[in-house]
Amino acid sequence: MTLSRGNGIVDILSNHSVDQTLEKLKGILEAKGVTIFALIDHSGEAEKAGLKMPPTKLLIFGSPKAGTPVMLAAPSIAIDFPLKILIREDGQGKVRVSYNSLAYLQERHGVPPELLQNIEVVETLAANAAE
């Protein structure tokens, strides 16, 4: 795992293709009863517009039970909620799993330390999907 310099994004290399990583992540979320709100297929939409880009997909998910207390304590975090994981192929053909770091979200929105446990699952989800 590497934290990109200064931008609050954590990148993990995946051992799978974009689609395999995405399916693995969706399976993990479904097994945990986490709501999948949307899947944005950036590369698919680019192709429809006659443009080409490497496979790039954004999965938006969350749990109102976990997220609502965080938003009540730090309302501006709603701009970064629901949680998101980006799965993309980089210029060298490597697949990366990316998400906002907990430290970034805490600093940006003033999330109380005792509520970080409600969103720290994103780290485990990303790591498990990439394995």
Side-chain angles (χ1 to χ4, degrees), residues 7-124:
N7 68 2
I9 297 174
V10 177
D11 286 322
I12 301 172
L13 286 176
S14 177
N15 294 318
H16 312 284
S17 71
V18 168
D19 286 334
Q20 290 168 330
T21 304
L22 175 64
E23 289 308 311
K24 193 171 179 185
L25 177 58
K26 285 169 60 177
I28 293 166
L29 291 168
E30 289 167 1
K32 292 185 175 294
V34 176
T35 302
I36 296 173
F37 294 107
L39 170 63
I40 311 297
D41 182 355
H42 289 295
S43 51
E45 293 301 317
E47 187 176 340
K48 288 179 190 176
L51 303 169
K52 189 167 174 66
M53 72 182 292
T56 304
K57 298 182 180 185
L58 180 72
L59 193 64
I60 302 171
F61 60 92
S63 164
K65 186 176 180 179
T68 302
V70 179
M71 288 186 285
L72 289 171
S76 67
I77 201 167
I79 200 162
D80 284 316
F81 271 17
L83 293 172
K84 301 159 196 65
I85 292 181
L86 174 65
I87 305 167
R88 66 182 179 89
E89 186 178 297
D90 68 17
Q92 290 74 46
K94 294 180 181 176
V95 174
R96 297 185 177 275
V97 178
S98 305
Y99 60 92
N100 287 322
S101 76
L102 294 179
Y104 168 79
L105 291 173
Q106 183 179 26
E107 181 179 322
R108 182 174 190 202
H109 302 290
V111 177
E114 65 273 12
L115 289 175
L116 285 178
Q117 66 187 9
N118 291 32
I119 57 175
E120 67 188 7
V121 67
V122 72
E123 294 176 337
T124 304

